[in-house]
Amino acid sequence: MTDTRTDRNTGQQATLEPDRQEQREQALTDRVIDSFATAPNPRLREIMQSLTAHLHAFIRDVRLTDAEWEAGIQFLTDVGHITDDRRQEFILASDVLGASMQTIIVNNPSDGAVTESTVFGPFFVEDSPQIPLGGDISGGASGEPCWVEGSVVDAEGRAIPGARVEVWEADDEGFYDVQYPDGRVAGRAHVHADAEGRFRFWALTPTPYPIPHDGPVGRLLAATGRSPVRAAHLHFMVTADGARTLVTHIFVDGDPQLEIGDSVFGVQDSLIKEFARQQPGTPTPDGRNLGDIPWSRTRFDIVLAATGDRE
Ligand code: BEZ
Ligand code: FE
């Protein structure tokens, strides 16, 4: 069987034999897959063979041109050049492609029993300040005060006393402290839950902010008409002996960015929480005097999986 097609690389009409062309392409795919057949590690063999199959299928599906292949290589080169120990553009690329979130979903099946996970992001810092229950994580970062309270329990509903609840967030201008020029620590802290597994602290009402978009990932988003903005969120990492570490966020119900879309696909419905706005002068749960400013309050009840579950 033969037909006439326009060659995408040369623009010329060429008489092709589709069956033969198909066979040549498939033969190469098969040869590359076979080349991994002797890998001593069976998991590495499985991953490389599946990667090859999908990569070749993609190239054949879109009929990738030489120039497009070169553009892809240039993109990866640019991602490598901007990456250093402070900036991880490869993870950012994985995030905007949904690959980070897909990996999280694959590894954390949602049966409703435990709190869902979401992306870690690049702004976590070890050794955050410890604050007492009811303390303030803002450390002078600007934004509207937000009272956050909740509990940490296991999948059987038993309190996890002393669970470490680590929290970090951007200020109301969309910056994390690590992006400040003066190196000060703000908008991050950890508390330990009380004997009943309860926690409470002051934070800032989260606001939407853009992921770093001054590099190749930002250019990709611009070229594809996508927004770099993340839905407003507050990051959590919760750890306790015998429990699987939970990395997650809570999102703000009613945030218009939830409709527009989160640039890294991190939103899970179960993580969208009411942040109830409070009028200036409304008494706070801890009797704090906020003067003439509004504030908000939210609740996050956390269920941790046991260590060994789903691993
Ligand atoms: C963040 O929420 O901090 C974040 C997550 C993924 C990419 C960039 C930022
Ligand atoms: Fe964030």
Side-chain angles (χ1 to χ4, degrees):
M1 188 176 110
T2 60
D3 65 3
T4 305
R5 292 189 188 170
T6 303
D7 185 309
R8 287 216 188 184
N9 291 317
T10 65
Q12 289 172 351
Q13 293 270 304
T15 301
L16 299 171
E17 297 174 43
D19 290 349
R20 186 159 175 277
Q21 178 65 14
E22 162 84 23
Q23 283 163 11
R24 291 175 65 223
E25 292 171 9
Q26 189 59 47
L28 175 63
T29 303
D30 292 343
R31 278 209 305 283
V32 183
I33 289 174
D34 281 352
S35 75
F36 292 113
T38 51
N41 179 324
R43 180 63 176 158
L44 181 60
R45 178 168 69 234
E46 179 187 5
I47 288 172
M48 292 314 299
Q49 290 187 326
S50 178
L51 176 66
T52 302
H54 286 88
L55 180 62
H56 283 231
F58 155 71
I59 294 166
R60 295 167 67 189
D61 181 32
V62 302
R63 312 308 301 167
L64 195 72
T65 67
D66 293 339
E68 289 160 349
W69 179 86
E70 274 169 32
I73 296 294
Q74 188 60 53
F75 173 76
L76 292 174
T77 305
D78 293 345
V79 169
H81 281 157
I82 204 171
T83 295
D84 58 21
D85 51 5
R86 290 173 58 88
R87 175 149 183 175
Q88 231 306 353
E89 195 82 355
F90 282 105
I91 295 182
L92 210 53
S94 164
D95 292 341
V96 302
L97 290 172
S100 309
M101 196 58 204
Q102 191 67 279
T103 306
I104 289 164
I105 290 173
V106 164
N107 288 286
N108 296 274
S110 169
D111 53 10
V114 298
T115 301
E116 289 190 277
S117 305
T118 188
V119 289
F120 198 37
F123 297 120
F124 171 75
V125 176
E126 302 272 358
D127 301 324
S128 70
Q130 182 176 343
I131 56 168
L133 285 166
D136 189 342
I137 78 156
S138 69
S142 62
E144 180 187 85
C146 176
W147 175 256
V148 183
E149 62 193 338
S151 57
V152 187
V153 301
D154 67 18
E156 277 73 48
R158 292 177 300 230
I160 305 185
R164 178 182 166 120
V165 180
E166 181 92 41
V167 196
W168 65 107
E169 66 175 330
D171 64 21
D172 63 354
E173 293 185 6
F175 294 109
Y176 285 82
D177 58 357
V178 289
Q179 297 171 298
Y180 296 165
D182 60 6
R184 70 186 195 277
V185 176
R188 70 180 70 244
H190 65 276
V191 295
H192 288 280
D194 67 14
E196 279 82 47
R198 293 173 310 199
F199 63 86
R200 55 199 170 272
F201 54 86
W202 283 100
L204 303 171
T205 309
T207 50
Y209 69 87
I211 62 171
H213 59 111
D214 56 344
V217 169
R219 290 196 289 279
L220 174 67
L221 293 178
T224 51
R226 278 181 50 186
S227 163
V229 176
R230 291 220 58 200
H233 60 272
L234 176 62
H235 291 262
F236 281 78
M237 179 161 72
V238 186
T239 47
D241 286 347
R244 189 167 176 188
T245 295
L246 172 71
V247 174
T248 195
H249 327 329
I250 52 175
F251 296 90
V252 180
D253 195 14
D255 173 10
Q257 196 65 33
L258 290 173
E259 290 298 318
I260 299 165
D262 178 43
S263 54
V264 301
F265 306 97
V267 181
Q268 309 269 25
D269 285 350
S270 68
L271 300 175
I272 301 173
K273 304 294 174 191
E274 183 188 14
F275 282 69
R277 293 298 302 290
Q278 310 292 317
Q279 292 306 312
T282 308
T284 62
D286 61 348
R288 185 181 180 189
N289 182 1
L290 290 174
D292 198 19
I293 55 169
W295 55 284
S296 70
R297 63 185 301 167
T298 191
R299 180 168 189 94
F300 186 28
D301 291 314
I302 296 165
V303 184
L304 297 184
T307 311
D309 286 3
R310 303 172 176 156
E311 280 172 333

